[in-house]
Amino acid sequence: MSSIVIVGAGAAGIAAAEVLCAQGHRPVLIDEAERAGGQGYRQPAPDLALDMRRLMGSEAARYEALHRRFAALTERIDYRPRTLVWAVEGGTLHLLREGRAETIEATTLLLATGAMDRIAPMPGWTLPGVFTLGGAQVALKDQGCLIGRRVAFLGSSPLLLLAARQYRQMGGEVAVVADTTGLAAKARALPHLLASPRTLLRGLGYMADTLRAGTPLLHGVTPLAIEGDGHVESLRLRDAAGREHRFACDAVALGYGLKPESQLADLAGASFAYDTDFRLFLPKTDGFGRARPGLYLAGDGVAIGGADAAEASGALAAYAILSDLGKPNDAAAIPLMRRVVRLRRFQRGLARAFAWPVAQIRAQAAETVLCRCESVTIGAVRAAMAQALGPVEVNRVKAMTRCGMGRCQGRVCGPALQEIVAAATARDGAAAGRLRGQAPVKPIALAAAGDIAP
Amino acid sequence: MRGASTDVAIIGGGLIGVWTAFFLARRGQRVVLFERDVVGAQSSGTNFGNLRLQGRFPGQYPLALRSHELWEDFEALIGEGCEFARTGHLYCAFDAAEQARLEAYAQVSQQHGVVIERLEQPELRKRFPWLGGRAVAATYSPRDATANPRLATPAVARAARRLGVEIRENARVTAVARHGAGFVVTTADGTELGCGALVNAAGAWAVEMAECFGETAPVFAAGPPQFVTEPLPFVMAPSLQTIDGSVIARQTERGNVILAGYPRTAADAVGNRAPVPPAKTLAAMRALAGLVPALAHGHVIRVWSGIEGYLPDMIPVIGRSETTPWLFHAFGFCGHGFQIGPGVGHYLSDMIVDGADPPPLAPFSIARFRTSATISDKFHKEFDDRPDKGNRALSARPS
Ligand SMILES: Cc1cc2nc3c(=O)[nH]c(=O)nc-3n(C[C@H](O)[C@H](O)[C@H](O)COP(=O)(O)OP(=O)(O)OC[C@H]3O[C@@H](n4cnc5c(N)ncnc54)[C@H](O)[C@@H]3O)c2cc1C
Ligand SMILES: Cc1cc2nc3c(=O)[nH]c(=O)nc-3n(C[C@H](O)[C@H](O)[C@H](O)COP(=O)(O)OP(=O)(O)OC[C@H]3O[C@@H](n4cnc5c(N)ncnc54)[C@H](O)[C@@H]3O)c2cc1C
């Protein structure tokens, strides 16, 4: 009997569990979160009277449908919330369940671990009051809190407009929505964006909303500094025409798209390749999500595609599992595969319309903090690299400077470090290398090992 | 052979290779060092950073003490720091039998001039209040130290370079052969270099080189499981070790607690992987929290290990080849090469330049593997997968 384990109860993991259940399997579904839904369809704490219809807007119906489908599944799967997978060793997953260590065996492993924000450093980004864009959304959806009374949304991401809209809906004031990618680049990405007209229209709708609300909306900006005395007081930037602006605000939501949470895939033996559109190392899979025998990847944890693509790719990976267990169902899988390809093409368009600001990162001043866990500046990295026999690859730079060596293990500073290293060696991002993954994928307390002898 | 040549070629840019290069250059030799990857990225850069004096193999004291002086002088000698800190080392016993073993170590250490303080409960707790109640006794050696292994090797390599050593990174040696009175060394890109003397300091990979000259040693590649915690309030000044090997820990000034421990795990020297089984991480977490309860709520943020060469008698091979004049070996440092690295470089350079036989290197000749070698007790205890099983060179011998 094969044991199928799915990690991640977001759109991808839930869709996969549904397909497997329908074929008589009882997969284990593990998630470190308290409640199912993942990032996109996060549920608020039950005692919070949050108006999710209003918050989710055009996505409310999908949100409700996913949670309804999940509710119908819970009895038919082995669902384990509040359980972190912290290491993978062959077929064994090492878990931390409610703070205690245990293991589970998986002959088939599907990782649907989602994504996190990608951040570009700038002067002042470590001031209290600066949040990641996703963090600003989590505060709202999970806790019903706003990160500030008057919030500036900065970065390059379609979620800037979405989050700004959600903040306005919930009574927040939006100081500015400022996107570092110019309108010309956005126009050039249109052919790809037409792969998902529904999402494109939704995005244009958010834009119209923002303008209607009278919120300043800027494209092609150069962020100059987040300023304040011990806390965010303003955001200073230069617009596309070269004029400087200062926006008073008490919080900044900063985000440059997403990056896959691919540490578990790394530990499970997936191989990685550099993607020149996303400028990230992404785990390699075939068109169905197979990474290697017995290992499947789906959702934003493998390639950023958004909630709809995550759902489709989760179901698709489940069909690949069934097929590898001897029960192929091409009639269901092939249309799904087309859908995933189309949605991922759309997302590739988004990566161009909302570009990672390579030139801006490379031009950052020496004093700008790159690694906030270990307080390493960009200048310190450049200086280490410039000395004789200096490091030229991210893992060695980390060893010499401590950049990426702290609590988050480079999950936050990794992409920017990659650009700084590439710039210093005049090579492309791929040549800068990939930070090697190691357990634990998230910090674990010594006490979790249990049985402490007297 | 026509073309480029040098006095000494060194294979391997770990700590042993770079210290040897440094001292050879100080003695006026022209040196080229070949490193397959970049200097200090293997064992020498991933190790725990202990510079321990107490409890060493008795025959190693002359070498260890000379090395310690060089570490203490590091900044003046090398021109930059490596976070050297005289932290002291606290060696703990959990029961009377272990305490007796500690006492035996202490006597050897003292015979060689190492200052040892003996501590028992309740005095032990009073002096080190963060220590839980499990340790019944300990010996404390104040001169023991730690340094940052990530910084040390590149720093020594830079100093060697300033003295004229040519350091070739990303230069894997693919063939070595006798040529006239010397050797010719070939790298992966096809470049050849002639040299008068050859130093084999290729770490866990050194046997390949030795075998080119009809010589071998039963090296086994392995590494201890290690982990590091997030920065925690600074409490633990000395580096801390239990005699059962379950805990070897230290706290950096920044507050991170680093841990290494037994049993070691076999590493894949060919695939360049040093796995850390999660079960060992958990066992070490339990052991550390048991010994220092104040750390129980600290978080582990990363695990790692390294690829180190071990030999069955748990001491390295250092010295001239038995088969080939002007070939010198320095490998198989059995988990303690960081501390003795500078002394190895120092005495080995004397051996090469003066043709001398420095007494501190006497116990480490490769000759001991011509006849049956003693298998150290440690070799059985400190690894979980018995390394002598399935190892050709070893299984022929009685244990
Ligand atoms: C903060 C944030 C906010 C977002 N908001 C929106 C939004 O409003 N609208 C939108 O369309 N898209 C949003 N996205 C994009 C989002 O990635 C996708 O919409 C969608 O959630 C992807 O689905 P998924 O199933 O791939 O991953 P997710 O929904 O992210 O689900 C992954 C799940 O895996 C779990 N997990 C990860 N690692 C482990 C582990 N080691 N052990 C146990 N469990 C683990 C996580 O707890 C999570 O529940 C957001 C993304 C982020 C990061
Ligand atoms: C996890 C761990 C913890 C440790 N803790 C301590 C400690 O606390 N205290 C202590 O004293 N010691 C410790 N040690 C041991 C110490 O790190 C080693 O003994 C020491 O670093 C050995 O140095 P080396 O130069 O022989 O080996 P290495 O650092 O491995 O260097 C050998 C070099 O040779 C290169 N090489 C190999 N083949 C070729 C080739 N064909 N061509 C060119 N180059 C080649 C390799 O790339 C490598 O860089 C520890 C070891 C490990 C793994």
Side-chain angles (χ1 to χ4, degrees), chain A residues 374 399 407 409 444 447 449-450, chain B residues 150 230 254 286 296 298 300 302:
Chain A
E374 296 293 320
R407 239 190 105 89
Q409 288 291 301
I444 56 174
Chain B
R150 296 189 307 275
E230 63 193 326
R254 162 139 180 81
R286 272 193 294 274
V300 171
R302 189 174 179 90

Side-chain angles (χ1 to χ4, degrees), chain A residues 90-453:
Chain A
T92 306
L93 303 189
H94 289 262
L95 313 179
L96 215 60
R97 189 177 199 176
E98 299 181 13
R100 303 301 277 183
E102 58 182 49
T103 60
I104 186 173
E105 297 300 317
T107 51
T108 296
L109 176 60
L110 171 58
L111 298 175
T113 47
M116 65 174 279
D117 290 275
R118 177 157 63 162
I119 293 301
M122 63 178 287
W125 74 284
T126 56
L127 266 181
V130 182
F131 287 71
T132 65
L133 180 59
Q137 282 186 292
V138 171
L140 194 58
K141 287 196 227 166
D142 200 85
Q143 308 293 328
C145 327
L146 305 177
I147 61 168
R149 288 175 206 284
R150 190 175 152 79
V151 182
F153 290 82
L154 172 66
S156 195
S157 162
L159 296 179
L160 285 175
L161 286 165
L162 168 64
R165 179 181 164 281
Q166 290 170 337
Y167 265 66
R168 272 195 312 271
Q169 295 271 315
M170 304 313 270
E173 195 185 335
V174 177
V176 63
V177 178
D179 192 315
T180 53
T181 311
L183 281 172
K186 292 190 161 58
R188 277 197 302 276
L190 259 184
H192 275 86
L193 297 179
L194 286 169
S196 180
R198 184 180 93 89
T199 321
L200 178 60
L201 278 177
R202 200 186 342 145
L204 292 172
Y206 295 155
M207 204 184 274
D209 270 3
T210 303
L211 293 172
R212 220 173 7 249
T215 306
L217 172 58
L218 303 174
H219 297 278
V221 306
T222 305
L224 296 175
I226 298 168
E227 298 167 325
D229 183 8
H231 195 279
V232 173
E233 290 168 12
S234 62
L235 167 66
R236 197 153 57 77
L237 53 75
R238 195 160 42 234
D239 68 18
R243 282 182 304 259
E244 223 178 281
H245 302 260
R246 177 182 266 115
F247 295 94
C249 53
D250 60 358
V252 175
L254 190 61
Y256 292 85
L258 301 174
K259 63 188 275 275
E261 285 275 53
S262 53
Q263 307 95 291
L264 275 185
D266 195 357
L267 298 187
S271 40
F272 285 72
Y274 188 74
D275 185 296
T276 47
D277 282 334
F278 289 103
R279 297 191 72 87
L280 289 169
F281 279 92
L282 301 178
K284 287 203 284 193
T285 63
D286 72 0
F288 294 85
R290 294 181 182 92
R292 60 164 183 74
L295 177 65
Y296 304 78
L297 309 177
D300 275 4
V302 54
I304 302 304
D308 294 355
E311 208 179 312
S313 73
L316 184 60
Y319 283 115
I321 291 172
L322 291 170
S323 165
D324 295 347
L325 294 174
K327 275 195 276 177
N329 183 347
D330 291 349
I334 286 172
L336 268 176
M337 176 145 137
R338 285 205 199 100
R339 187 170 153 70
V340 170
V341 168
R342 188 166 57 75
L343 289 169
R344 291 223 167 120
R345 178 148 49 89
F346 171 74
Q347 215 68 18
R348 215 160 262 288
L350 282 185
R352 295 179 194 168
F354 300 93
W356 173 236
V358 177
Q360 290 180 4
I361 296 168
R362 294 181 173 207
Q364 279 297 332
E367 312 77 66
T368 304
V369 171
L370 176 55
C371 167
R372 62 173 179 179
C373 297
E374 296 293 320
S375 305
V376 181
T377 62
I378 289 179
V381 168
R382 289 182 185 141
M385 294 183 71
Q387 65 185 332
L389 300 171
V392 295
E393 179 273 338
V394 290
N395 291 287
R396 291 302 289 163
V397 169
K398 170 181 165 186
M400 297 302 133
T401 63
R402 303 190 64 83
C403 183
M405 219 179 243
R407 239 190 105 89
C408 88
Q409 288 291 301
R411 287 162 71 227
V412 175
C413 65
L417 172 63
Q418 184 120 12
E419 299 300 346
I420 299 294
V421 170
T425 51
R427 296 191 298 178
D428 61 5
R434 182 174 72 89
L435 284 175
R436 278 187 294 272
Q438 280 285 18
V441 301
K442 302 260 173 78
I444 56 174
L446 290 184
D451 296 343
I452 292 167

Side-chain angles (χ1 to χ4, degrees), chain B residues 88-392:
Chain B
H89 178 264
L90 192 63
Y91 216 167
C92 299
F94 289 135
D95 56 34
E98 289 188 351
Q99 190 179 358
R101 281 174 57 211
L102 267 189
E103 179 53 35
Y105 280 159
Q107 286 176 15
V108 173
S109 306
Q110 282 176 322
Q111 276 160 26
H112 290 93
V114 178
V115 174
I116 301 289
E117 295 172 43
R118 294 169 176 76
L119 296 157
E120 283 185 30
Q121 296 294 17
E123 197 189 330
L124 182 59
R125 273 297 274 289
K126 223 161 102 195
R127 174 99 172 259
F128 302 106
W130 39 267
L131 206 56
R134 289 191 58 215
V136 299
T139 56
Y140 178 69
S141 168
R143 197 182 167 193
D144 293 25
T146 60
N148 184 338
R150 296 189 307 275
L151 305 181
T153 307
V156 178
R158 274 191 288 275
R161 227 174 81 125
R162 283 194 297 274
L163 294 175
V165 172
E166 187 188 333
I167 302 218
R168 297 195 192 165
E169 293 190 317
N170 303 304
R172 185 164 61 89
V173 173
T174 49
V176 281
R178 279 301 285 181
H179 185 87
F183 302 86
V184 55
V185 177
T186 311
T187 41
D189 64 358
T191 312
E192 294 189 342
L193 179 79
C195 60
L198 181 63
V199 177
N200 174 17
W205 302 267
V207 171
E208 275 174 53
M209 298 295 147
E211 285 179 348
C212 296
F213 301 99
E215 211 164 17
T216 193
V219 167
F220 174 73
Q226 304 204 125
F227 69 63
V228 63
T229 69
E230 63 193 326
L232 300 168
F234 187 80
V235 292
M236 253 168 66
S239 81
L240 178 67
Q241 182 162 353
T242 58
I243 200 165
D244 69 357
S246 61
V247 171
I248 306 175
R250 67 185 180 96
Q251 189 169 21
T252 64
E253 235 172 80
R254 162 139 180 81
N256 306 78
V257 176
I258 309 173
L259 181 134
Y262 315 147
R264 301 179 176 98
T265 304
D268 173 2
V270 177
N272 208 11
R273 270 191 303 269
V276 181
K280 288 191 184 176
T281 302
L282 290 169
M285 287 163 65
R286 272 193 294 274
L288 180 60
L291 189 63
V292 188
L295 300 178
H297 296 290
H299 285 76
V300 171
I301 60 176
R302 189 174 179 90
V303 306
W304 77 100
S305 186
I307 305 175
E308 169 76 341
Y310 292 87
L311 287 158
D313 53 2
M314 290 300 272
I315 56 172
V317 164
I318 315 167
R320 59 182 92 253
S321 155
E322 285 282 294
T323 61
T324 312
W326 298 106
L327 170 65
F328 300 85
H329 299 296
F331 64 80
F333 281 86
C334 303
H336 56 252
F338 189 56
Q339 197 277 335
I340 56 176
V344 172
H346 173 195
Y347 291 120
L348 197 58
S349 67
D350 287 351
M351 183 180 263
I352 295 168
V353 180
D354 303 331
D357 281 300
L361 298 188
F364 308 108
S365 165
I366 195 169
R368 68 186 194 274
F369 293 108
R370 257 190 331 204
T371 54
S372 83
T374 30
I375 295 188
S376 157
D377 194 30
K378 289 184 170 207
F379 199 58
H380 291 306
K381 272 201 327 253
E382 298 179 3
F383 300 83
D384 49 356
D385 20 18
R386 281 263 309 259
D388 48 338
K389 294 228 177 84
N391 183 315
R392 257 184 311 116

